[in-house]
Amino acid sequence: MSSLLQNQVAIITGAGRGIGAATAHLFAAQGASVVVSDRDAEPTEEVVQEIRSAGGIAMGVPGDVTDPAFPDTLIKATMAEYGALHILVNNAGYTWDGMLHKMSDKQWEAMLAVHNTAPFRLVRAASPHMRDAAKKELATGQVPPPRCIINVSSTSGLHGNVGQLNYATAKMGMVGFTKTVAKEWGAFGIRCNAVAFGYIETRLTQAKESGETIAVDGEEIPLGVPSHLHDMVKMMIPLGRTGTVEEAAGSILLLASPFAGYINGHTLEVTGGMGI
Ligand SMILES: NC(=O)c1ccc[n+]([C@@H]2O[C@H](COP(=O)([O-])OP(=O)(O)OC[C@H]3O[C@@H](n4cnc5c(N)ncnc54)[C@H](O)[C@@H]3O)[C@@H](O)[C@H]2O)c1
């Protein structure tokens, strides 16, 4: 175990699989007490058990971040178990692709709900334990511990992407969200940054034909990209390959670590050089 995040408590949403799970493992290996949260209870528990088996500290709080009551539940459970909150990673998300002219209101609103409204409610619910806690510490002459928020965005947001009007709009929304929190909470020493991933190997970027879906309101939404694009994408990436979840998690750790102590309001593109 290393100690970049020693004595820090981190909530990671969407941590049951993919980038969130890899981030939970990496944060725990760096000494953080990790709150693993995902809408799917089974993978949430698996990640918790894996972290504990490796000697790390973790608890699971399964739930849907788009449920208006869940952010409070998640923050309360974290405070009850660990008594503090230093890092919040807004990672939970998915894609619900379609061309603009065929996109339903439900499809549009689902992307804003999971990528914008849920992080807003979570940061607001965390405010007493992050912003207000730092304010009190500063008022009493204490040096606040490091605190930060990291939002997971996408190059689809920064550059647009065919078939992803809803997702691109929401992921670009996270950039404005990030900059605003950085400006509002910077005075309390709380940093807020975003990572915009390109192609990281998860079920969101595998060939659509492999048939992965996510259930939303009883509807099975297909995940992935069409296989011809999946095969072509490597040609657009200067590094010549897609990224791993471990590499994605590394970039989130970088922004959470003391090495990023003066980085605030930034959106880090993690793409292997795609789109430069
Ligand atoms: N994979 C990529 O290339 C890529 C690129 C850009 C951005 N992203 C973003 O990275 C984040 C993680 O995606 P991933 O690729 O690891 O996908 P993934 O499907 O492997 O993991 C996402 C996790 O989020 C959870 N989740 C989804 N909706 C949720 C909700 N409403 N409440 C709670 N949990 C929920 C899922 O159950 C899943 O476990 C997402 O925000 C995604 O948009 C991924």
Side-chain angles (χ1 to χ4, degrees):
M1 292 251 175
S2 308
S3 57
L4 282 174
L5 305 180
Q6 203 65 47
N7 300 325
Q8 296 199 32
V9 177
I11 294 176
I12 301 164
T13 67
R17 57 174 75 73
I19 294 166
T23 305
H25 285 292
L26 186 58
F27 275 27
Q30 290 293 333
S33 300
V34 178
V35 182
V36 178
S37 185
D38 200 283
R39 71 204 284 274
D40 299 332
E42 217 171 290
T44 300
E45 194 47 35
E46 273 169 27
V47 173
V48 169
Q49 291 311 329
E50 286 162 8
I51 289 174
R52 288 182 181 161
S53 308
I57 302 168
M59 72 181 286
V61 185
D64 185 335
V65 289
T66 66
D67 171 354
F70 184 67
D72 274 338
T73 306
L74 178 55
I75 301 295
K76 276 187 186 140
T78 303
M79 295 308 294
E81 183 72 13
Y82 297 128
L85 172 59
H86 304 98
I87 305 170
L88 170 60
V89 182
N90 282 308
N91 167 74
Y94 61 98
T95 48
W96 190 350
D97 296 349
M99 300 301 271
L100 180 160
H101 61 287
K102 294 183 192 165
M103 190 170 285
S104 67
D105 283 4
K106 189 175 172 189
Q107 202 171 350
W108 168 263
E109 279 157 12
M111 289 295 97
L112 304 190
V114 72
H115 298 114
N116 298 152
T117 308
F120 154 63
R121 289 193 186 123
L122 264 165
V123 173
R124 185 177 59 183
S127 178
H129 312 291
M130 296 185 88
R131 179 197 178 278
D132 300 356
K135 193 175 176 187
K136 269 187 214 134
E137 287 152 6
L138 287 166
T140 53
Q142 299 169 64
V143 179
R147 294 186 176 97
C148 70
I149 294 162
I150 296 160
N151 298 313
V152 175
S153 182
S154 165
T155 51
S156 294
L158 302 190
H159 305 292
N161 198 20
V162 172
Q164 292 195 320
L165 184 79
N166 52 355
Y167 182 75
T169 301
K171 287 301 198 186
M172 191 59 190
M174 283 187 131
V175 174
F177 178 107
T178 297
K179 291 184 181 187
T180 304
V181 176
K183 288 185 176 182
E184 288 196 13
W185 288 13
F188 308 105
I190 304 169
R191 299 179 299 108
C192 183
N193 292 296
V195 273
F197 291 121
Y199 275 81
I200 307 298
E201 288 290 347
T202 70
R203 63 183 188 163
L204 297 193
T205 48
Q206 70 186 2
K208 206 160 226 162
E209 289 73 4
S210 64
E212 274 272 6
T213 59
I214 184 168
V216 179
D217 290 339
E219 207 174 322
E220 289 297 329
I221 313 300
L223 298 175
V225 294
S227 61
H228 67 282
L229 285 180
H230 184 263
D231 298 339
M232 267 169 41
V233 78
K234 288 178 189 151
M235 288 189 277
M236 302 185 312
I237 303 172
L239 283 182
R241 62 177 181 82
T242 50
T244 66
V245 290
E246 289 77 18
E247 288 171 316
S251 68
I252 297 175
L253 173 63
L254 170 71
L255 288 175
S257 80
F259 297 114
Y262 202 58
I263 300 177
N264 192 26
H266 185 67
T267 298
L268 180 65
E269 290 192 60
V270 180
T271 64
M274 186 179 69
I276 50 175

